[in-house]
Amino acid sequence: QISRTFNQGGCCRVGGAATPHTRWRAPSFALGVRGEARARAPRLFSPPRREGARVLSAIFLPGIVTGARDEITGVGNSGPRSAMAPLPRLAPRLPPARREDSRASDPTRRSYVKGALWSLLYVAFSTAIILSNKHIITETNFRCPIAVSSLGSVFGWFVSLAAVGSGFVQLKTRLTFTQWCVHVLPIGVCTAVSLAFANLAYVYLDLSFIQMIKAFAPVVTFATLVFFKLDTYDSNVAMTLAVIVAGCFTASFQRMEAKSVRIGLACMFACEVAEAFRSAGMQYLLGAHQSRAHREKKSAKAAADKKRDDEIPNDDSTKKLSFSLFDGMYYFSPATLIFLAFLTYVFEWDDVTDPAHVAAARKNPAPFALASTLGFFVNLASLAVIQHAGSMTLKIVSQLKNVVVICAAVVVYDDNVSLLELAGYAVAIFGFGMYQDAKDRAAEFARLEEEARGGEFKALVSRDG
């Protein structure tokens, strides 16, 4: 046992022998080689200094503590004093705050809820109008598909005329008669052809099979847009379209032998081609295809100073057009109706004026009313879905609507759907998902490339300046 004591002379007594203290040193047998090396190093506070600090603390600390206690209790050398008043609280006591439910006041959550509700309404309205058209053409004696397709255009035109004429709705875009004839009338013709051939296919094909064939529409639309240079060719997109083609071919392989099926497939192909031309015309009309001069002005405006904004003329010829729901019905419904009326007069006028067909229309007012009015509500629901959930959600909901229509056709009209057709349709739907993903990736890449080019242009302008 090693005992260490310190005396006033600064000597260290180890094992009972006192030695003069020069540096604190631990025995080597207790610390080892590394410990001895650390013990040989000088320390800032030697044990005598630590002992002195301990003595000073024992002398002065009790007085400091006693004085503080006397100040608080009021008792000291001079006798008792008045006690110190308690310190007031720095803040009053407040009731606990109530936690508000952030989910109820979140605008994003409300937008998702509205988007879901409008999506359900869109599926319901779209399914109802398809079933009503199918019922009129095949189940009643009114076998005039072109005339049936014009019912929605008639209702939409009269509603838009009443709303605009009464001042209830203000048109967002004003077109002259020349602009209407040049830009709107061709789109109306394509819409009329699409509606006419779509209803004509009900005569030759089952309703469930028609919904499966509609999965082929992105192939025709993309090819048309690339042909008119409204979209760019992408190999990844082309591969996804090949998957859609394979799925549609698998779904229709077993029915290709019947002549009526081939006629119905030709009608569906014509419908999808006309719909693709209509989409291209709408994209051109809404300003997706801008002139080269306008693009140069736009890039120069982004690169130059803000003062140059006044130097760029703002002409109406390069301004983007936008159409609301009533704008579309006001301008496009008469263009569509004119061509549908022409087709009805050429191919179906004798059937429309036949007393048997007129009697069939009188006996079934509900399907005719639904076919006339639901088109307006389908357009309204589609615009609401785009506003609250985006265009991608509308495309997904449209595919869901096709599945619902297929199930309804099996239940209501006893359509026979084989496993091969279901497998082909599943492949086509999977290809449609790949197609949308490839389109989104291509658009994101184009946006980043455009931003990079704009940054390089700005850097060159600033360096030259």
Side-chain angles (χ1 to χ4, degrees), residues 222 224-233 283 435 439:
F222 181 74
T224 304
L225 293 178
V226 172
F227 178 78
F228 285 102
K229 297 182 179 180
L230 296 175
D231 201 347
T232 57
Y233 176 79
Q283 190 169 340
Y435 168 76
K439 290 288 291 182

Side-chain angles (χ1 to χ4, degrees), residues 229-242:
K229 297 182 179 180
L230 296 175
D231 201 347
T232 57
Y233 176 79
D234 188 85
S235 59
N236 295 326
V237 177
M239 293 176 62
T240 60
L241 294 178

Side-chain angles (χ1 to χ4, degrees), residues 117-282:
L117 293 177
W118 279 111
S119 299
L120 293 176
L121 291 176
Y122 174 79
V123 172
F125 293 151
S126 301
T127 305
I129 193 172
I130 291 174
L131 293 177
S132 62
N133 288 337
K134 173 67 175 179
H135 182 79
I136 292 173
I137 296 172
T138 60
E139 301 299 325
T140 64
N141 198 23
F142 193 83
R143 295 182 177 272
C144 303
I146 300 177
V148 172
S149 63
S150 63
L151 297 177
S153 299
V154 173
F155 180 81
W157 192 25
F158 278 107
V159 169
S160 62
L161 286 176
V164 175
S166 62
F168 180 75
V169 174
Q170 298 293 331
L171 292 178
K172 190 176 181 180
T173 302
R174 295 283 182 177
L175 297 179
T176 62
F177 181 74
T178 303
Q179 291 176 334
W180 183 83
C181 293
V182 173
H183 299 291
V184 177
L185 189 59
I187 297 176
V189 171
C190 295
T191 305
V193 173
S194 176
L195 293 175
F197 278 103
N199 280 355
L200 190 61
Y202 290 139
V203 180
Y204 301 99
L205 300 176
D206 293 336
L207 181 58
S208 59
F209 187 66
I210 290 175
Q211 302 305 313
M212 294 181 185
I213 298 302
K214 286 183 178 180
F216 191 75
V219 179
V220 182
T221 302
F222 181 74
T224 304
L225 293 178
V226 172
F227 178 78
F228 285 102
K229 297 182 179 180
L230 296 175
D231 201 347
T232 57
Y233 176 79
D234 188 85
S235 59
N236 295 326
V237 177
M239 293 176 62
T240 60
L241 294 178
V243 176
I244 297 177
V245 172
C248 293
F249 179 78
T250 304
S252 59
F253 178 74
Q254 291 180 338
R255 304 195 183 193
M256 291 295 294
E257 296 179 359
K259 182 179 179 181
S260 61
V261 172
R262 292 196 294 268
I263 296 175
L265 289 176
C267 293
M268 287 301 301
F269 183 76
C271 168
E272 291 175 355
V273 170
E275 183 67 21
F277 274 82
R278 188 192 73 85
S279 299
M282 287 295 298

